[in-house]
Amino acid sequence: MSDRIKDRVLILRIKPEHLQTTLREKMKSISRSSGSSKQKGSSSAGNSGMDILDLPDVKCAASADNSTLWYFSCDNKEYPARLTNLPLPVELHKTVDHAKYFKSTDVGQILIVYEDMKTMDAEEGAANYSHDAYHSYYHSGLTP
């Protein structure tokens, strides 16, 4: 996997429900298997540090023309995705003890994965989807 993808911090929004279910099951199976293979006294917790692109048969790649069109694949099925900017950056915080929090990074982009190109075109063609002057910004931020 290229470092170009690994170093990127973004929000991943999966539109197809069957794909959401598949990814959740893959993450649960990984966390169960890593939980059972941990040595007693290990300090790592849960699935912290798990990257969705580390899951088996999950890949993400930009289109050849370097536009905002990306391709997300899972189990050898490819889904179109659109990389857009959020209206404002979102701060992510981490905690170890749920008492002290520290800022870990800012997120300014969202990758929206669609079922197919037809669905993507229909949603992006809807009224009020994008602002006239800023077509690369996601219209509603993080609201569903």
Side-chain angles (χ1 to χ4, degrees):
M1 177 176 332
S2 75
D3 291 335
R4 178 177 164 201
I5 296 170
K6 279 296 256 189
D7 293 339
R8 191 169 282 216
V9 177
L10 52 83
I11 295 169
L12 181 64
R13 177 170 282 169
I14 307 289
K15 294 278 194 165
E17 289 186 24
H18 65 90
L19 182 56
Q20 292 174 14
T21 305
T22 302
L23 292 172
R24 281 190 189 112
E25 289 172 359
K26 285 178 179 276
M27 291 175 75
K28 284 179 185 176
S29 69
I30 294 288
S31 67
R32 277 194 300 263
S33 65
S34 66
S36 63
S37 65
K38 285 181 190 171
Q39 293 179 357
K40 209 170 191 176
S42 174
S43 63
S44 69
N47 61 358
S48 62
M50 182 190 299
D51 190 334
I52 197 152
L53 295 176
D54 291 335
L55 295 174
D57 299 321
V58 175
K59 296 179 184 76
C60 189
S63 62
D65 61 356
N66 286 329
S67 67
T68 59
L69 178 65
W70 283 60
Y71 295 101
F72 186 88
S73 65
C74 179
D75 295 333
N76 298 322
K77 185 166 188 320
E78 196 168 78
Y79 302 89
R82 181 72 68 193
L83 181 66
T84 59
N85 297 318
L86 293 170
L88 295 169
V90 177
E91 290 184 352
L92 294 183
H93 295 84
K94 288 185 177 182
T95 184
V96 177
D97 58 4
H98 298 287
K100 295 178 186 174
Y101 292 84
F102 59 93
K103 180 178 171 181
S104 60
T105 190
D106 286 325
V107 178
Q109 294 181 313
I110 182 169
L111 185 68
I112 306 167
V113 179
Y114 297 93
E115 180 69 38
D116 53 28
M117 290 297 278
K118 185 177 176 182
T119 306
M120 184 172 78
D121 292 339
E123 284 194 31
E124 291 178 356
N128 298 326
Y129 178 80
S130 64
H131 188 277
D132 295 335
Y134 304 104
H135 61 84
S136 67
Y137 282 87
Y138 189 59
H139 67 290
S140 66
L142 297 178
T143 60

